[in-house]
Amino acid sequence: MFLRLPRLVRLTILGLPPSFLWCCAAESPAEFFAENKNIAGFDNPGKSLYTTMRELVENALDSAESISVIPDIEITLEEITKNKFNTMIGLVDRDRIDEELYDDFESIKAREKRLAKEARFQETQAKNAALGKKVKEAPAARGKGRGEAAFFRVTCKDNGRGMPHDDIPNMLGRVLSGTKYGLRQTRGKFGLGAKMALIWSKMSTGLPIEIKSSMKEQNFISFCRLDIDIHKNVPHIHLHEKRENKDHWHGAEIQVIIEGNWTTHRSKILHYMRQMAVITPYAQFLFKFLSDSVDKNLTIQFARRTDVMPPIPLQTKHHPSAVDLLLIKRLITETTKQNLLQFLQHEFVNISKSHAERLIGEMGPDFSAKMTVKSLTSQQLVRIHQLFRQAKFDDPSGNCLSPAGEYNLRLGIIKELHPDLVATHASSPQVFEGHPFIVEAGISIGGKDVKHGLNIFRYANRIPLLFEQGADVITRTALKRINWSSYKINQQQDKIGVFVSIVSTKIPFKGTGKEYIGDDITEISSAVQSALKQCCLQLKSKIVKKLQARERQDRKRNLNRYIPDVARAIMDTLGEIADETPPKRPRYDKEDEELLEKVNSQEVTEMTFRDCLTQHVEQVDYEMALEYAMQSGVSDEPREAIYLNSLEGSYKFIDFQSPLFVFRFVP
């Protein structure tokens, strides 16, 4: 079902500032986002390529998780040369006639000046190399002209829910057409999804988007080729038909051709895929980059580590302290409840019948429990809003949230980074402005492809945040509020991975790009700091144990080093005593006499003393380790992480989840 909300209401739901609301009052939503594409992350070709890929991946994850299917996602970026693109659109290439007309034109004088500058630079670098000084890299060559655009075919295929055949045009070709605006933890930031990619495709290439989709147990595949009429905000359908589904496939495959820049955003795209593999170890990603140049081709598979998925986020009602006047008006318009008492009791969380009656009594004589809710005047709505802001309500629970879970976070870190040590912690549900949130944190030491120092990985509602890191609350907390040295961690020399995931029904992003969470929210800042400190305490215990074990090994090694010399000295001393003339009075007791006799008969040798001393060192080392284990309350048996592969085939089972493990019961 699709409905067209008033434009101001729709944009308010997206969280856009008032300046945007008023400027777009006379234009369609598609036209507004086309003119302000930077809001949705389409600042330039490179960022647009990254954002398009990210939007399609997140839609695919949502689609699979919504039907509790383990995600299997394939992403392909195919580079399309200018000549190939022109052939696709039927454009004939023309040779240049007026070279000076082009942006990359270089006059003879400019060329001579550039070559002379390069020669002087090379001469300087040769002298520096001869003197043993640091050699700088050569300056970048003159870039391509602005007209030399690069194009990419972006394809994302998943095994999710799919889309109903008749709804596909509106779902992808009409901006702000859906009803996905309940209070729920969602991956999306603006609710645009692939629609913004279609708008960017329309603006940069003019080519339509292609969609293949099939729902579970559907015997046909829906195929649709469409673009969007930006001014009217309606889909323009080129082809919409049903095709045979021989393989009984379900899911969606979306293909769009856009202008992009792989060179500038290659690292961001690969970093995003790696971070997504960390936070969703139950998903399998296959990433491909295809080019006419074979050496540029790239294929990376992020394998699945577990099949335990987080629960699906539940839709919840609004908390009274989190609503504004506009939202109260909208709830009144949409409610099926007749009187004010029922409205307060059923449209908000944490308002019982008795609490609602007390609130109505506090509102004044103009209010009654049985008054029709739709008859409330503007002044009465303001009174309700003011009381909501002043009254005391119980905090909302975190039952509606779906964090990754310590189990999945730990598996994801181990799978992608292979660290030497890892610790995780999940906070209890907390509240900011009436919205519950949970902070999950993980810290790893060591690992592959990890730089020395702090490597910070930020997540909001289980999606990676890659831009504007410096102002983020997670970055600032890790850099300024954690004294790493007090936890035996060297901030400069150790390879430290810092992972923080925040989930909430409303992430308080800063800026229109929604790329970071501000550092001015005390509740979130304190929760992030507390979660990181809990991880550091776990790591400190492990690091101290490793240091003590290393000290024991060093002590044991040093003792073993002196065993030959000590054994030799003891043997020489006993030999001299045994060779002496026996005195008239015995100077030694019976045991010593027996030892001397054994030395004389060579029954006891230097090797005998070496073996005895080695056994003694081993025994002392074991007793010290056992005493430490008893004092620290841990078992003296070594502990290892154990991962069991899931059973093959389809079984009905029940998962019992805890912060550290998941127990699966198979009847």
Side-chain angles (χ1 to χ4, degrees), residues 572-584:
D572 291 343
T573 302
L574 291 176
E576 291 176 1
I577 295 174
D579 291 339
E580 291 178 356
T581 304
K584 295 181 179 180

Side-chain angles (χ1 to χ4, degrees), residues 86 122 138 170 276 322 363 384 624:
N86 288 346
Q122 292 175 0
N170 275 325
M276 187 60 83
M363 291 175 188
I384 293 175
M624 290 179 65

Side-chain angles (χ1 to χ4, degrees), residues 406 409-410 422-426 440-444 484 487 489 497 499-500 528-542:
E406 279 192 75
L409 181 59
R410 182 182 294 267
V422 62
T424 56
H425 176 77
E440 297 175 298
I443 298 179
S444 64
W484 297 96
Y487 300 102
I489 300 173
F499 304 81
V500 178
V528 171
Q529 183 178 3
S530 175
L532 289 177
K533 284 186 175 181
Q534 289 297 322
C535 293
C536 288
L537 287 173
Q538 296 177 38
L539 286 178
K540 182 180 180 180
S541 175
K542 297 178 181 180

